[in-house]
Amino acid sequence: MGRKILLENSDIPNIKSFDVFRAHGGYFSVEKALKTMAPDEIIEEVKKSGLRGRGGAGFPTGLKWTFLDRKSNKPRYLVCNGDESEPGTFKDRYLMEKLPHLLIEGMICSSFALGVNTAYIYIRGEFKYLLGILNQAINEAYKNGFLGKNILGTNFSLDMYVHPGAGAYICGEETALLESLEGKRGNPRIKPPFPAVVGLYDCPTVVNNVETLANVGYIVNFGGDAYASIGLGKSTGTKLISACGNINNPGVYEIELGMSVEDFIYKEEFCGGIKDKLELKAVVPGGSSVPIVPKELILFTASGEKRLMTYESLAEGGFESGTMLGSGGFIVYDENACIVRNTWNFSRFYHHESCGQCSPCREGTGWMEKILWRIEHGHGNMKDIDLLVSIADKIEGNTICPLGDAAAWPVASAIRHFREDFIFHVQYPEIVKNIKHGALYKYENQD
Amino acid sequence: MLKITIDNQTIEVAEGTTILQAARKIGGSVVPPAMCWYSKLDGSGGKCRTCLVKVSEGSAKDPRPLPKLVASCRTPVIDGMVVQNKTSPEVLEARKAIVEFLLINHPLDCPVCDQAGECDLQDLSYDNGKVSCRYQESRREFDVIDIGNLIKLHMNRCILCFRCVYVAEQIAGKRVHGILYRGDVSEISTYIKNSIPNDFSGNIIDVCPVGALTDKTFRFKNRVWFLKPMTAHRNCPTCSGKVIAWMFGNEIYRITGRKDEFGEVEEFICNKCRFEKKNINDWTVEGPTTIKRHSVISQNHYEEIKTPSIINPLEEKMEKQTNDE
């Protein structure tokens, strides 16, 4: 346990610069790929590696690449999705800030494999500070002949651009991202057709997460089998987990998939246990949109097995007792945390970020937020709790894009597992009103 | 040709047809309601989610059902598809929920709304809505604004179907009109509340499924069910000149485009026809329009429905009897 793929060199001073990165074995995979491998071989290696999309859905990357339409004579595009805006997830920004060249290296290999000559890195509007870092890294790569025309003397040419969004969570959805990249309003498109056939500028496009693309360099260097040997079962490789909440050591950790959740929370080299020696109450293991689960169900599955940090183990039990690995935003709550307030906070986020295109999400997110506000502020009644469940159920699955589902799951799961908290809020509004909620209370009353 | 079965009725359609278009070919009760899709506007549809249907068999090759309900207006037919609309309780449940979502922020000011009587949302909620309302929060509110001096926008009533945006983009030329903000505070607006300077801008009134965009030359003049819709035409240099004149006696109250049985305009008309030609002498009136029997507009129509709406099978016998007596 403890092998690192992405963050191995992250602590080397000035690893951001091309020379230091190159001295530590950087861009070796580009040389190997362009000079010795055929594009299909790389795709084959990625398939063998079992690498899964790190943006949340966990779709096998190799399989996604094979969907790319190669028959049409249109140009193809690779887009790196750096619009990481999910509450609780902050792994991509860490990667781009510390190791921009690792991402560029992975993107060059991927572009070569996919036959792409133009690649884009789409970053979130709030990541303006990354714009300089990434542009500098790209310029260095151009200067040293890893980008531009005829890279390393081969026939392969690649141009890369960074594009900042304007600050919208919805632009993390791949089709909304493409709309935004085209300069339009970031509304998700109606699928089908999928971006692999009709994507950016109506051309076949692959959209991958930052972390996914950063892994490609390693797979090219060491082979798909070496990558697949790390991890457990179908969850291969390592995963960046951004841990936050009431823990002793919040931060970004690279873990091998297959570690137990208990180890991750309590081991000193990871989260280091709950802050102030309090009890664990609940965990959101994959960013705000995945279901919240209580202590009993995060440490052990419903059938009594140890829960592991893998896509399968966390999802065991479906939405009844399980959750999802998602994008790896690991949020931990101690016994004092107010689940109702937390749910309201998430709900407020989704209400604010809903694009307003389709009716269930546009109207439903606002409705849920208003009800949760009432319950949290002591104006709720018992009917509201079932009403919330009903609304969440009606939004889920009826929307254009997964934002509707993402807004519905946290509410539905919070009520499923913590109904007593909601009932308490309705029954004792006076007590609830007087609770001062730590950081959030301070944040709201800072003026 | 592709074979598709919708609510146990099978039809063959050409490649590229959507489920909704196939359903409209069959007609009758299998047609899912559509609030945002408009056959004449590219890119419309998929937004209101009222046309959701269940695909119980994906295709002849792969008869697995699709995991989610799909928007029938944007899902192309695959050979051998089996679709459930009215026969699926899941679909009816979802549609009920969508109607509820559409209505929570709708002001329900039908008594003072010009669209009442010809409003798609009224029909939809009459067919699929609930009697009671579970929403007790405040509704969103916007100011009423003018889009030029001929069109009024009541954003409160809008269900954000985006149809008018597509009309402004595709029929009325330059893009000066679109959506501002996002989520449930999104707003239809023009560039700094300007008018839409185009001869065909008035069509945004016709495509609006609710009373959000109304004709200022007709506002509060009359209720649609007191007027007689008459097919009329004139020689117009800009458009086809084929319209419906809404008349009361010999007076024309308003002009709209001719609509087909699914409420879609057949041919878009120009602003001159719509707003300026309100004199009976400008038009050649062809005769009364046929109106669906259930429509509230057919209320005060005396002559135009030629076939008797209620057929009395005993009529002849009764006449005979009276004669005999």
Side-chain angles (χ1 to χ4, degrees), chain A residues 216-386:
Chain A
V216 175
Y218 179 91
I219 294 170
V220 169
N221 273 339
F222 299 98
D225 291 327
Y227 191 86
S229 69
I230 308 170
L232 187 75
K234 278 187 178 173
S235 304
T236 56
T238 64
K239 174 99 184 77
L240 294 183
I241 303 284
S242 51
C244 63
N246 307 116
I247 46 174
N248 282 323
N249 313 323
V252 179
Y253 299 98
E254 183 170 11
I255 61 155
E256 272 184 49
L257 290 168
M259 164 191 268
S260 81
V261 177
E262 195 173 1
D263 282 353
F264 183 70
I265 298 175
Y266 291 104
K267 268 201 176 162
E268 204 44 53
E269 67 258 43
F270 298 110
C271 298
I274 311 298
K275 217 171 182 179
D276 301 331
K277 294 188 176 144
L278 292 169
E279 268 294 302
L280 173 66
K281 182 173 186 178
V283 171
V284 175
S288 66
S289 57
V290 309
I292 188 169
V293 277
K295 182 186 176 181
E296 317 82 74
L297 287 174
I298 190 66
L299 299 181
F300 299 96
T301 61
S303 53
E305 286 165 46
K306 251 193 176 183
R307 222 186 268 273
L308 308 173
M309 296 289 272
T310 62
Y311 288 98
E312 292 79 22
S313 176
L314 281 169
E316 201 178 316
F319 284 162
E320 279 309 306
S321 61
T323 173
M324 283 159 77
L325 182 59
S327 55
F330 199 85
I331 313 171
V332 181
Y333 300 93
D334 69 21
E335 56 189 294
N336 290 336
C338 173
I339 299 296
V340 180
R341 195 173 187 84
N342 175 64
T343 314
W344 169 54
N345 191 24
F346 283 172
S347 216
R348 194 169 55 160
F349 173 79
Y350 289 111
H351 175 206
H352 183 251
E353 296 295 345
S354 168
C355 78
Q357 207 183 183
C358 62
S359 19
C361 173
R362 176 181 71 233
E363 309 292 352
T365 49
W367 194 0
M368 288 201 297
E369 196 229 310
K370 283 170 188 164
I371 297 174
L372 282 161
W373 182 90
R374 268 200 290 122
I375 298 180
E376 169 61 22
H377 290 83
H379 307 291
N381 62 48
M382 285 299 176
K383 268 189 194 163
D384 288 342
I385 301 170
D386 288 328

Side-chain angles (χ1 to χ4, degrees), chain A residues 167-170 185 187 190-193 351-367 370-371 374 381 384 386-387 390-391 394-395 397-402 405, chain B residues 43 45-50 52 68-69 71 74-76 93-94 97-98 100-102 104-105 130 134-140 158-162 166 179-186:
Chain A
Y169 173 67
I170 191 63
R185 188 183 156 89
N187 279 354
I190 292 140
K191 291 181 262 186
H351 175 206
H352 183 251
E353 296 295 345
S354 168
C355 78
Q357 207 183 183
C358 62
S359 19
C361 173
R362 176 181 71 233
E363 309 292 352
T365 49
W367 194 0
K370 283 170 188 164
I371 297 174
R374 268 200 290 122
N381 62 48
D384 288 342
D386 288 328
L387 180 59
S390 157
I391 299 170
K394 296 288 157 57
I395 298 175
N398 291 342
T399 52
I400 294 175
C401 79
D405 300 342
Chain B
K47 296 180 174 63
C48 68
R49 318 304 282 177
T50 51
L52 289 178
K68 284 180 177 178
L69 302 182
R74 290 292 293 266
T75 311
E93 195 56 37
I98 305 296
E100 187 176 24
F101 284 132
L102 287 176
I104 61 170
N105 274 315
K130 288 177 188 158
R134 300 189 289 174
Y135 188 74
Q136 46 170 300
E137 270 67 38
S138 58
R139 286 164 201 254
R140 59 155 191 237
C158 179
I159 58 163
L160 286 167
C161 67
F162 286 58
Y166 290 114
I179 308 273
L180 303 181
Y181 314 114
R182 67 182 176 212
D184 61 0
V185 290
S186 354

Side-chain angles (χ1 to χ4, degrees), chain B residues 16 68 87 134 136 146 168 179 206 304 309:
Chain B
K68 284 180 177 178
T87 47
R134 300 189 289 174
Q136 46 170 300
D146 287 332
I179 308 273
D206 276 356
E304 78 282 8
S309 45

